[in-house]
Amino acid sequence: MLSAQLQTYLAEIKISATELQQKQLVGFVEMLAKWNKAYNLTSVRDPEQMLIRHIMDSLAVSPYLDGQRFIDVGTGPGLPGIPLAIMNPEKQFVLLDSLGKRIRFQKQVQFELKINNITSVESRVEAYQPDDKFDGVLSRAFASIQDMLSWCHHLPTEKGIYYALKGQLNEQELQQMPAGFSLVETIVLHVPKLDEQRHLLKIAKQ
């Protein structure tokens, strides 16, 4: 059932996935639904809704990623990082979260689904000081763009891009962007079966 829905949704947003990638994406939803009963990893309970609100919501960003090394800050159970890693096996993803139960879940997903391009790190973002900076800093966890840029300022390379996954756009929030940053692009995302607005903001250091 989930596999058939996934195929329909992928076709709708014109993303092609191998049989293995489709199996991994469905496997991720099944593991999330199973673990969620005990660990409360997401407020979405229904696997079909997880497919829309977590998997497709994450994958809508995939065509816009530039570079090789990405970090997903405040990733929770691995969103959008794990679906993006599955669809982009040639790119590397660090999944950063401060809660141990979420990191344990991610590591189990990595082990069971054999996803070789993710690294899970249990840390608060301000305490995480990586040796290598990132081409892209992804997050859908931050309440505001200001918070994302101030907490994550030390993570991207000189030419690195911040990818802020947002719902409805707040013009006031955009106007209050901190000095030294510029909005490169605003992308309207289409997520199958989702009536709510979704946007991707690409932000760069000036």
Side-chain angles (χ1 to χ4, degrees):
M1 183 71 177
L2 286 174
S3 298
Q5 286 172 316
L6 176 64
Q7 286 175 351
T8 304
Y9 299 154
L10 287 170
E12 194 176 319
I13 62 171
K14 298 182 171 58
I15 288 181
S16 59
T18 65
E19 200 173 320
L20 173 61
Q21 286 169 326
Q22 291 178 45
K23 272 188 182 159
Q24 288 173 321
L25 290 169
V26 170
F28 178 51
V29 172
E30 289 169 348
M31 287 185 71
L32 189 53
K34 182 175 142 193
W35 276 60
N36 205 36
K37 293 184 177 93
Y39 290 96
N40 198 25
L41 297 167
T42 166
S43 59
V44 181
R45 301 281 171 216
D46 174 46
E48 289 179 33
Q49 282 298 310
M50 286 179 181
L51 192 60
I52 296 163
R53 292 186 164 275
H54 290 332
I55 304 300
M56 300 316 298
D57 199 35
S58 299
L59 293 188
V61 176
S62 189
Y64 306 104
L65 298 182
D66 296 317
Q68 290 303 309
R69 274 177 54 76
F70 295 86
I71 182 167
D72 178 10
V73 179
T75 183
L79 298 161
I82 288 176
L84 289 173
I86 289 170
M87 291 307 298
N88 297 276
E90 75 291 351
K91 301 182 191 302
Q92 295 295 319
F93 291 83
V94 169
L95 311 178
L96 189 73
D97 203 275
S98 59
L99 266 190
K101 66 178 182 179
R102 295 170 180 164
I103 297 296
R104 284 194 294 280
F105 171 70
Q106 293 167 27
K107 288 186 170 173
Q108 194 61 29
V109 167
Q110 179 178 20
F111 174 72
E112 285 190 31
L113 302 181
K114 298 179 172 56
I115 304 169
N116 301 319
N117 58 332
I118 58 174
T119 306
S120 298
V121 176
E122 184 180 342
S123 174
R124 295 179 65 82
V125 62
E126 66 272 27
Y128 179 60
Q129 299 292 335
D131 294 331
D132 296 321
K133 306 286 187 183
F134 296 92
D135 300 317
V137 178
L138 289 150
S139 187
R140 65 176 200 171
F142 285 98
S144 74
I145 293 166
Q146 289 91 321
D147 284 352
M148 181 180 183
L149 298 177
S150 66
W151 290 108
C152 304
H153 66 92
H154 60 297
L155 296 175
T157 62
E158 205 50 49
K159 290 191 163 56
I161 297 286
Y162 296 89
Y163 296 85
L165 284 70
K166 306 291 284 184
Q168 208 165 346
L169 287 187
N170 179 335
E171 285 303 322
Q172 189 181 359
E173 185 186 3
L174 294 175
Q175 286 160 10
Q176 291 171 349
M177 195 177 301
F181 296 95
S182 63
L183 181 61
V184 178
E185 195 176 0
T186 302
I187 298 158
V188 178
L189 300 174
H190 170 65
V191 180
K193 298 281 185 212
L194 198 63
D195 290 335
E196 302 148 33
Q197 290 185 20
R198 287 290 186 270
H199 294 88
L200 174 64
L201 304 180
K202 291 174 72 172
I203 299 164
K205 289 180 186 172
Q206 287 176 330

